[in-house]
Amino acid sequence: MSSSNMITLALSKGRIFDETLPLLAAAGIEVLEDPEKSRKLILPTNQPNVRVVLVRATDVPTYVEYGGADIGVTGKDTLIEHGGQGLYQPLDLRIAKCRVSVAVRNDFDYAQAVKQGSRLKVATKYTGIARDFFASKGVHVDMVKLYGSMELAPLTGLADAIVDLVSTGNTLKANNLIEVERIMDISSYLVVNQAALKLKQAPLRRIIDAFASAIPAEKN
Ligand code: PRP
């Protein structure tokens, strides 16, 4: 875990960073630099014993698992792919909401393609989620692991289908893809290093409790 009395919080740039700021404010924590304007990877806060480290979204659980950070905010999608081992997951923060879905070209006959005994070529960075989902449907898949721009795979013949995050649906629409199945709803979670929770209990509890009190209300 990060040294002595310092609390290190791992965040990824973009939506998770932006939507975590109000939760930090509830804990009296203000980040003193804008990650979109600075190249710094360690950002100070108004609290001398709290700092933010900027890591790739998929690396947040790893940083917290091995103690490079004491706490972090990470999407459920990333948490599932990581496995969650070594992480205490006290809060669904209900921020950065989206879903993981299956999408195909709008001229592709998905229903026919997933009929019993058939094989489907699936491109995704969410290989764990995709494998479990298609196994539960009894569909055989040939998995193509990608690290981004999944939308391109069905358009170039690399795959029949993708498993990706969908928020507004604009990215799919712009690429002539349609969402054919919703696999799971996603939001971001607070994750805490288990050793840090014991050794830095008071300051971490304060942050966890402040976050809990500031979670946005569930919309119906
Ligand atoms: C996600 C996802 C889609 C897009 C969907 O990418 O991979 O490309 O958002 O959003 P929409 O339905 O509102 O168009 P993200 O911006 O998280 O970054 P990434 O491409 O690095 O995964």
Side-chain angles (χ1 to χ4, degrees):
M1 104 206 62
S2 83
S3 63
S4 63
N5 304 320
M6 180 63 81
I7 299 292
T8 301
L9 166 66
L11 294 176
S12 52
K13 278 206 253 185
R15 273 184 72 188
I16 288 180
F17 183 90
D18 297 342
E19 296 187 25
T20 300
L21 291 183
L23 302 174
L24 285 170
I29 299 165
E30 191 192 327
V31 184
L32 297 178
E33 278 185 69
D34 179 352
E36 301 303 332
K37 294 191 182 127
S38 162
R39 310 275 306 172
K40 279 193 193 164
L41 298 175
I42 300 183
L43 306 180
T45 73
N46 64 333
Q47 309 282 320
N49 66 331
V50 180
R51 63 180 184 173
V52 170
V53 292
L54 295 175
V55 302
R56 288 290 293 262
T58 44
D59 292 335
V60 168
T62 308
Y63 266 81
V64 177
E65 176 187 5
Y66 294 111
D70 301 301
I71 50 176
V73 176
T74 182
K76 185 80 183 165
D77 50 329
T78 305
L79 202 45
I80 290 172
E81 292 294 328
H82 168 270
Q85 62 278 5
L87 300 174
Y88 174 57
Q89 302 167 31
L91 295 175
D92 176 357
L93 300 173
R94 303 210 288 253
I95 60 170
K97 285 185 164 189
C98 55
R99 55 195 185 270
V100 177
S101 292
V102 182
V104 298
R105 271 167 60 152
N106 55 21
D107 59 358
F108 181 78
D109 189 348
Y110 180 72
Q112 179 64 32
V114 296
K115 278 205 178 136
Q116 248 189 344
S118 59
R119 297 190 77 88
L120 189 71
K121 210 169 189 190
V122 176
T124 186
K125 67 177 171 190
Y126 302 108
T127 50
I129 292 171
R131 218 173 275 290
D132 285 353
F133 176 72
F134 286 108
S136 75
K137 288 172 64 78
V139 174
H140 298 285
V141 293
D142 295 314
M143 200 71 76
V144 180
K145 168 88 184 185
L146 291 177
Y147 293 88
S149 302
M150 265 85 82
E151 296 83 4
L152 210 45
L155 305 178
T156 54
L158 186 66
D160 303 315
I162 60 171
V163 169
D164 194 10
L165 296 182
V166 180
S167 177
T168 60
N170 290 340
T171 306
L172 293 182
K173 201 183 277 175
N175 290 291
N176 300 315
L177 301 175
I178 49 167
E179 187 177 5
V180 285
E181 296 212 62
R182 183 189 275 241
I183 300 180
M184 64 176 71
D185 289 327
I186 298 295
S187 57
S188 285
Y189 282 67
L190 190 65
V191 291
V192 185
N193 176 278
Q194 287 176 347
L197 189 62
K198 293 197 188 85
L199 293 162
K200 303 178 184 180
Q201 196 170 12
L204 284 174
R205 267 288 151 214
R206 256 198 309 278
I207 293 172
I208 295 167
D209 292 346
F211 272 40
S213 72
I215 291 174
E218 199 75 81
K219 287 188 211 105
N220 295 313

